[in-house]
Amino acid sequence: MIKFTKGVIMVLKKLFTAIGVTAAAFALSLTASTSATAAPIEAPTPVKSRIENTAAPDTAAEPRTCRARFTDGLNHRLRAEAGSQILGIIPAGTWVQASCERVDGGEYDACGVASAYWLEIYWNGNWGHGAWGCLQDWEFTS
């Protein structure tokens, strides 16, 4: 009788283990397929470049605003080009108002990154550009 009980217990353990493994695999497959098919959330496209618009941003036309801070002291440039006029230097870790998407521009090598992506930023009363490769944090503020 004892051998029979031990045998039944072993079979039940194997059965429940198999059921648990199957359930876990099924749950993971649902999770993987759900995240893979979910549509990516994209940042809104500004209606007009802030560089071209000297007036204050229209909140109706641009409902979201962003801010950014950079890892190193950042050259705040007039245009999205490495050789463009420097408007000032933004100290590392300082939060600044920024556009909600990156822009293509001239290639640069800054903060250990070679790229052609830039971010429109507002600093010291002027809109300009900063190297995307030096970005530490970037977030929506509204």
Side-chain angles (χ1 to χ4, degrees):
M1 179 82 162
I2 294 174
K3 286 185 181 180
F4 176 75
T5 305
K6 284 184 182 179
V8 170
I9 291 173
M10 291 298 291
V11 169
L12 289 175
K13 281 184 179 180
K14 288 181 181 181
L15 178 65
F16 287 125
T17 301
I19 290 171
V21 169
T22 304
F26 180 70
L28 285 174
S29 70
L30 288 178
T31 303
S33 66
T34 302
S35 62
T37 58
I41 299 172
E42 295 184 17
T45 304
V47 175
K48 184 176 182 182
S49 170
R50 293 184 178 121
I51 301 295
E52 298 168 7
N53 187 1
T54 56
D58 180 12
T59 56
E62 190 173 334
R64 299 201 83 169
T65 57
C66 294
R67 68 180 189 156
R69 65 179 170 176
F70 300 89
T71 56
D72 294 342
L74 180 75
N75 288 333
H76 182 218
R77 296 189 178 275
L78 181 61
R79 303 198 191 301
E81 300 168 358
S84 178
Q85 175 187 350
I86 297 173
L87 302 172
I89 298 176
I90 301 171
T94 303
W95 284 103
V96 295
Q97 186 177 357
S99 66
C100 294
E101 66 179 34
R102 65 185 184 187
V103 295
D104 287 322
E107 292 185 13
Y108 62 85
D109 186 7
C111 304
V113 176
S115 179
Y117 290 119
W118 296 80
L119 187 65
E120 286 181 310
I121 51 179
Y122 185 78
W123 171 253
N124 216 18
N126 296 303
W127 279 102
H129 290 87
W132 179 266
C134 296
L135 196 61
Q136 177 182 0
D137 292 306
W138 179 54
E139 63 187 21
F140 290 112
T141 56
S142 67

